[in-house]
Amino acid sequence: MSTPELDRRGFLRAAGLVGALPLLSPLAGTTAASAVATAATSGTALPAPAAWRLRPFALADVSLGPGVFADKRDLMLDYARGYDVNRLLQVFRANAGLPTLGAVAPGGWEGLDGEANGNLRGHYTGHFLSMLSQAYASTGEQVYADKISTMVGALVECRQALNQPPSVRSVPGRFGTAVESQRGSYQFAQLPTTVLGTAVQLTFAAWVKPGHDAAWARIFDFGNDTTRYMYLAARNQNGVPRFAITTGGGGREQGINANVSLPVGEWSHVALTLAGTVGTLYVNGVVAGRNTAMTLGPAQLGQLASYWLGRSLYPDPVYAGAFDDVNLWSRALTDIEVAALRTQPAYAAPAGRGDLASYDLDETGGQVLHDWSGRAQHASWLRTWGGPSHPGFLAAYPETQFITLETMTAPNYLVVWAPYYTAHKILRGLLDAHLATGDARALDLAEGMCDWMYARLSRLPAATLQRMWGIFSSGEYGGIVEAICDLHALTGKAEYVALAKLFDLNRLIDSCAGAQDILDGLHANQHIPILTGLVRLHDETGDDRYLAAAKGFWNMVVPPRMYSIGGTSTGEFWRASGRIAGTISDTNAETCCAYNMLKLSRMLFFHEQNPKYMEYYERALVNQVLGSKQDKADAEKPLVTYFIGLTPGHVRDYTPKQGTTCCEGTGMESATKYQDSVFFAAADGSALYLNLFIASTLRWAANGVTVEQSTTFPVEQGTRLTIHGNATFDLMVRVPSWVGPDFAVTVNGKTLKVDAVPGTYLRVARSWRSGDVVTVSLPFTLRTETAPDDRSLQSLCYGPVNLVTRDASRSYRSFGLYRNAALSGDLLPSLTPVEARPLHFTLDGHQVAPFYEGTEDPTHVYFRRSEPTVVFGGRNSGVANPVRANGSSLLDELWSGAPYGSKTELLKTLDTLTNSWVTDGLLSAGDRSAVLAAAKGATFVA
């Protein structure tokens, strides 16, 4: 493995984490700073692509200062610090047949019993690795590195175990020792096809200790397929054992249901006898069910293809639990003989060993279960899915998830649920672990995964790949292309570029590159990270088609499908462009979508310094991303939203699906990398971009300076930069589109005479000297944003902050805001500030607060705008506010012309405007006079 040479100016000691590794808490003194520096240098750098005009800084280079971002981050760091990672590793160890150390998986989507059969398990482990990596890169705390090392070491052991044949797991038995099929290991015993011989009658007896209460897991299943078989299930749909035999499929089964269940975690003796027309089922030596009308037995089934203990011929769960003293006889034991088996092993009981097969199950390893009947019917201990197709395979479930996807034509997450998405999360986590700590084992695991994927996917026809990636949910692969490209940048292996291109979804790429909007009806988060991957694929290949697709896609989402908090999607899907009001629901703004749109916006800004990308970044970060994290500590869950409902009175749910969904995963990552886009540097070191106004300190080693940003933004309407060290560079200050008319920049107390245009970057060129201070004034104004498909549905924004009404009503509230509008156009005078609570107001008796506060209060993000009469400075003209056919009112048109330099200027505009409304027949002359009189008598705030 070779590591490419770093960018010669040394930007980004860990740029490979481009937004993957988070920020640290405020560090006190040189000891803390040294700890972070140690963490940074212990990692491995990922070189920034040559195509990037800007370079991000490593998380270790930017530390957070006090404020809302640090507060939210610290809550997540505490969770990361205390959570037992063995719980996350449980599913990997179980799949590999390794001891799980008594750990219990988190549940929800992450666990053997997770939603949809646990078919997404393993994804959360990847997220957690990324979060730990960001936490370590940011803080240098050894606890995070130790957890990373534990997880990586366990995954190494799991991969090794997966590449070896399964070995018998010995546990204490009913008599001596027993063998156990651990839940999640997919292990079972295969008996020889000669085990029943020509038997006409049959007795099967065994001690079983179920480890799980799954229905239809088989104690044994002998058969050819789902037409010809006989089985004994530990539990049927009613929770009791069932025996069935058929030669005509499930609809023609002859069966026996027991009248008692088998307790989980306890030994029970089960036996079945078949003789003539009588079949009897025993539990603990007592008859539990009998069928006296049987016409089928071993002779009628004939020679069968499969004789299994613990596995089903149907897609049923594999039996989880232990077996002991399994015996088969070619006769039907008597009730007395069966009863005796409850107190002694078969070899010591009156019945003696089974004459067909007798398994003591005292093995402590290996794959052979010895038969002591004298017939040498030795059994084999196997996995249901055999073994990996390539030694690099690593997952928390069998490779069958990936194999089955290759033939699927329709989505079914109960069968296959996004295996390549899960692979992406694991791969990303391993890369982040390597980049943060330098652990070569993590890189080896990552390379192995990509080698395995290339071996699988490169043999598939192009049409198969296009079909796979187009399947909703099952074919979702997240940001795997981005991770593969990063691995290519680290290793230089050409096959990784070839692998990344195998994920091309041509219909999406071609339509987005050609500005053809096909997003209506698509699953949002399945597609957003694809485009981030395409940007990286452009970086590695130079193919402009990929970059064009990403830019075209971004414009289809922002702003046409964006809610005011920066989120997108409803019920995980997109609707038609421009439909905002028509999509409001309790399942808007999936949090993963915001996470991935931030990554895409950030990456596009590296290529093209269009301020719109960072405008969006700020909106989504300050509102949805911050607001998705609850302001509360929890040792078991990250407390992050999945959906954010925008219906009136919605209460945010911070613990969906037990806290292990995709959005909790990305939420963990978001909360540990808030600082990743505060500053960027020009590729040649000639400029420093100030993108976000967040309290933070940048250590720009390449230029020999430290830049300290002091602010309580967004509470404070400004920020202050102090330069430590001497250097010449351009300071590029973002002038937000929301900023008020009094935006100003001062250097060492002197105000710069510049024409600052909102929605641009302001260049401050200077040879900086240590101690220089730059102050940026960022005055907020209150404005509304209107849903494009319903002008009456609006949201309140104060500077970058989305303000919500806290109200339990499930109906939209109606508010008017022009009544006290300032000459500047600022609507803030219509709200009443709450004393000692910054950014909190009241409006018509209702509480108004920042969306970013992670409370469980019912909120209204949108409201109905109602301006029934023409009012100026609180003076009501008594005239109904007229409205044009397009929905625009007289007051809308008047205030769209703000700011006004004086009351006289406003009156002049109003005079002209009302005259045109009279001409258009929308306002009477008398009403015009009343409107002008009210305006003249009103007192306006400047």
Side-chain angles (χ1 to χ4, degrees):
M1 178 192 71
S2 62
T3 302
E5 183 181 359
L6 301 183
D7 179 280
R8 61 177 176 272
R9 291 194 62 84
F11 304 120
L12 246 197
R13 289 198 299 271
L17 301 174
V18 268
L21 293 192
L23 194 78
L24 55 165
S25 15
L27 299 171
T30 57
T31 302
S34 174
V36 178
T38 300
T41 55
S42 68
T44 301
L46 177 66
W52 290 3
R53 296 179 182 178
L54 300 181
R55 302 288 191 264
F57 289 96
L59 292 180
D61 292 335
V62 187
S63 57
L64 283 180
V68 61
F69 290 93
D71 291 344
K72 299 252 187 183
R73 184 274 320 277
D74 289 347
L75 290 171
M76 195 64 77
L77 288 180
D78 286 344
Y79 166 71
R81 190 180 294 112
Y83 196 82
D84 180 8
V85 295
N86 286 305
R87 296 186 62 187
L88 304 174
L89 295 166
Q90 189 260 358
V91 290
F92 286 89
R93 287 171 166 148
N95 186 52
L98 296 174
T100 58
L101 310 182
V104 178
W109 284 8
E110 189 60 43
L112 299 171
D113 296 313
E115 184 178 342
N117 307 317
N119 284 343
L120 208 67
R121 61 186 181 271
H123 81 113
Y124 204 67
T125 299
H127 284 299
F128 208 90
L129 267 174
S130 290
M131 174 184 66
L132 290 174
S133 301
Q134 294 174 173
Y136 180 58
S138 294
T139 68
E141 287 188 38
Q142 188 62 33
V143 62
Y144 302 122
D146 291 343
K147 286 175 178 287
I148 291 168
S149 183
T150 295
M151 296 178 75
V152 171
L155 294 176
V156 168
E157 293 174 356
C158 288
R159 188 178 70 175
Q160 290 172 343
L162 288 170
N163 279 281
Q164 298 170 358
S167 180
V168 166
R169 176 181 170 85
S170 180
V171 296
R174 182 63 178 81
F175 305 110
T177 60
V179 299
E180 181 183 52
S181 175
Q182 182 177 226
R183 177 151 174 78
S185 68
Y186 298 89
Q187 294 179 5
F188 71 106
Q190 179 172 281
L191 311 186
T193 57
T194 55
V195 67
L196 296 188
T198 59
V200 174
Q201 298 185 7
L202 176 66
T203 295
F204 172 91
W207 281 95
V208 295
K209 184 180 181 181
H212 191 255
D213 62 358
W216 301 113
R218 304 293 200 254
I219 294 173
F220 76 79
D221 201 336
F222 303 159
N224 289 337
D225 47 34
T226 56
T227 300
R228 195 176 194 86
Y229 56 78
M230 64 175 170
Y231 69 75
L232 176 58
R235 291 171 180 264
N236 65 5
Q237 75 275 13
N238 296 317
V240 295
R242 172 175 171 79
F243 167 75
I245 185 170
T246 183
T247 56
R252 297 177 62 184
E253 287 184 354
Q254 298 177 16
I256 309 169
N257 293 317
N259 57 14
V260 63
S261 63
L262 306 181
V264 173
E266 297 180 17
W267 284 106
S268 298
H269 189 266
V270 293
L272 165 79
T273 61
L274 295 174
T277 62
V278 180
T280 307
L281 192 55
Y282 300 84
V283 174
N284 290 325
V286 177
V287 174
R290 180 165 280 158
N291 185 338
T292 59
M294 306 286 288
T295 62
L296 298 175
Q300 285 70 39
L301 291 182
Q303 180 64 49
L304 300 171
S306 302
Y307 295 82
W308 294 334
L309 300 181
R311 181 179 180 181
S312 173
L313 289 158
Y314 283 89
D316 294 314
V318 178
Y319 169 79
F323 289 100
D324 197 4
D325 199 34
V326 176
N327 286 268
L328 293 93
W329 290 266
S330 61
R331 64 184 180 88
L333 300 189
T334 66
D335 291 351
I336 293 175
E337 288 177 311
V338 171
L341 295 173
R342 187 167 185 260
T343 58
Q344 52 197 317
Y347 70 81
R353 289 188 180 277
D355 62 321
L356 295 177
S358 180
Y359 304 101
D360 290 349
L361 302 180
D362 289 331
E363 288 78 11
T364 58
Q367 282 192 280
V368 178
L369 303 177
H370 292 88
D371 169 36
W372 298 100
S373 71
R375 295 183 65 231
Q377 300 296 298
H378 307 305
S380 299
W381 193 250
L382 305 172
R383 290 192 194 98
T384 61
W385 56 284
S389 64
H390 183 282
F393 174 74
L394 177 64
Y397 43 60
E399 194 175 358
T400 49
Q401 281 279 296
F402 300 88
I403 297 169
T404 303
L405 176 62
E406 294 170 6
T407 57
M408 289 181 71
T409 57
N412 187 343
Y413 86 142
L414 297 172
V415 176
V416 173
W417 190 6
Y420 284 97
Y421 174 94
T422 307
H424 162 242
K425 299 308 173 187
I426 300 166
L427 176 62
R428 182 75 261 172
L430 290 169
L431 282 174
D432 290 345
H434 172 68
L435 292 167
T437 68
D439 194 328
R441 299 173 302 167
L443 181 62
D444 182 64
L445 289 170
E447 289 188 73
M449 288 187 70
C450 287
D451 293 343
W452 157 73
M453 281 189 279
Y454 186 66
R456 277 220 74 82
L457 297 176
S458 62
R459 64 177 178 80
L460 297 177
T464 300
L465 293 171
Q466 293 301 311
R467 174 178 48 75
M468 285 167 56
W469 308 142
I471 299 175
F472 160 62
S473 188
S474 298
E476 184 174 355
Y477 56 79
I480 202 165
V481 173
E482 177 193 356
I484 294 169
C485 288
D486 285 353
L487 184 60
H488 171 258
L490 274 174
T491 66
K493 290 185 178 180
E495 58 266 35
Y496 294 153
V497 172
L499 171 61
K501 295 176 73 172
L502 292 175
F503 288 92
D504 281 3
L505 183 55
N506 289 329
R507 177 172 178 263
L508 178 70
I509 296 170
D510 293 340
S511 64
C512 291
Q516 179 188 358
D517 191 330
I518 63 165
L519 301 189
D520 188 6
L522 290 186
H523 182 241
N525 197 52
Q526 181 166 349
H527 293 86
I528 300 171
I530 294 177
L531 280 300
T532 305
L534 294 182
V535 178
R536 287 292 290 114
L537 199 47
H538 162 270
D539 298 338
E540 300 302 307
T541 66
D543 190 336
D544 289 336
R545 170 174 170 258
Y546 294 132
L547 185 58
K551 291 180 178 179
F553 170 87
W554 194 92
N555 291 326
M556 295 173 193
V557 177
V558 183
R561 292 179 170 89
M562 180 193 74
Y563 300 107
S564 61
I565 60 172
T568 186
S569 80
T570 181
E572 298 194 4
F573 289 82
W574 280 307
R575 301 306 175 205
S577 180
R579 285 198 65 200
I580 297 298
T583 61
I584 298 295
S585 75
D586 283 331
T587 57
N588 292 127
E590 182 186 354
T591 307
C592 272
C593 293
Y595 166 89
N596 281 309
M597 283 300 297
L598 288 184
K599 291 190 74 174
L600 177 60
S601 301
R602 182 177 192 266
M603 205 167 287
L604 287 173
F605 191 69
F606 294 151
H607 285 270
E608 176 189 3
Q609 288 68 66
N610 189 325
K612 69 180 182 181
Y613 295 125
M614 295 314 296
E615 287 279 333
Y616 172 79
Y617 195 101
E618 179 185 61
R619 176 193 292 265
L621 178 67
V622 170
N623 295 295
Q624 172 155 5
V625 172
L626 271 188
S628 68
K629 174 71 186 84
Q630 189 173 16
D631 299 332
K632 177 181 173 183
D634 193 291
E636 294 296 313
K637 298 178 180 66
L639 300 183
V640 177
T641 59
Y642 188 111
F643 294 118
I644 293 180
L646 300 178
T647 50
H650 180 81
V651 177
R652 282 171 238 173
D653 179 5
Y654 299 98
T655 56
K657 311 286 187 181
Q658 296 179 245
T660 57
T661 68
C662 52
C663 292
E664 277 70 52
T666 53
M668 291 191 298
E669 295 182 41
S670 289
T672 46
K673 65 179 181 72
Y674 290 134
Q675 79 272 34
D676 76 343
S677 297
V678 175
F679 298 100
F680 296 148
D684 61 0
S686 63
L688 178 68
Y689 281 71
L690 173 61
N691 305 309
L692 301 172
F693 311 108
I694 297 175
S696 53
T697 299
L698 165 68
R699 290 172 288 277
W700 193 7
N703 275 22
V705 297
T706 296
V707 180
E708 181 182 359
Q709 180 172 195
S710 303
T711 181
T712 58
F713 186 93
V715 173
E716 179 182 354
Q717 298 181 23
T719 191
R720 171 188 171 105
L721 301 179
T722 303
I723 313 297
H724 302 282
N726 302 327
T728 299
F729 59 88
D730 294 345
L731 178 64
M732 305 295 292
V733 180
R734 187 169 67 87
V735 185
S737 60
W738 47 258
V739 78
D742 294 329
F743 173 89
V745 176
T746 66
V747 177
N748 298 330
K750 182 178 181 180
T751 302
L752 301 183
K753 296 180 179 180
V754 294
D755 183 16
V757 178
T760 66
Y761 275 77
L762 174 66
R763 182 186 304 273
V764 182
R766 184 178 175 86
S767 291
W768 302 93
R769 296 293 177 262
S770 193
D772 283 351
V773 176
V774 180
T775 303
V776 184
S777 175
L778 298 160
F780 293 4
T781 58
L782 184 71
R783 68 188 188 283
T784 62
E785 293 188 354
T786 301
D789 51 338
D790 184 346
R791 291 182 58 89
S792 73
L793 195 68
Q794 300 182 6
S795 61
L796 273 181
C797 296
Y798 186 44
V801 179
N802 181 268
L803 295 179
V804 298
T805 306
R806 290 181 175 165
D807 191 316
S809 169
R810 298 296 287 173
S811 300
Y812 288 113
R813 290 298 185 187
S814 294
F815 297 120
L817 296 167
Y818 287 140
R819 59 196 175 204
N820 287 308
L823 290 173
S824 65
D826 190 353
L827 300 174
L828 188 62
S830 293
L831 275 63
T832 303
V834 176
E835 187 176 356
R837 296 197 71 188
L839 301 179
H840 284 248
F841 307 89
T842 59
L843 175 60
D844 294 344
H846 296 279
Q847 295 183 45
V848 176
F851 179 90
Y852 67 70
E853 292 185 342
T855 72
E856 294 178 293
D857 294 304
T859 59
H860 292 231
V861 173
Y862 287 93
F863 66 95
R864 291 289 179 197
R865 185 69 176 273
S866 177
E867 304 284 354
T869 58
V870 178
V871 183
F872 299 105
R875 181 182 290 267
N876 195 331
S877 69
V879 175
N881 182 25
V883 178
R884 293 190 186 277
N886 65 2
S888 179
S889 72
L890 172 66
L891 288 175
D892 290 334
E893 291 191 12
L894 174 68
W895 290 110
S896 67
Y900 294 105
S902 64
K903 177 178 177 180
T904 300
E905 183 181 339
L906 180 143
L907 292 174
K908 182 178 180 180
T909 300
L910 181 63
D911 181 69
T912 302
L913 181 64
T914 53
N915 187 56
S916 70
W917 279 68
V918 170
T919 301
D920 293 341
L922 300 172
L923 186 69
S924 71
D927 285 344
R928 176 175 183 267
S929 297
V931 166
L932 292 173
K936 289 176 183 177
T939 300
F940 292 93
V941 176

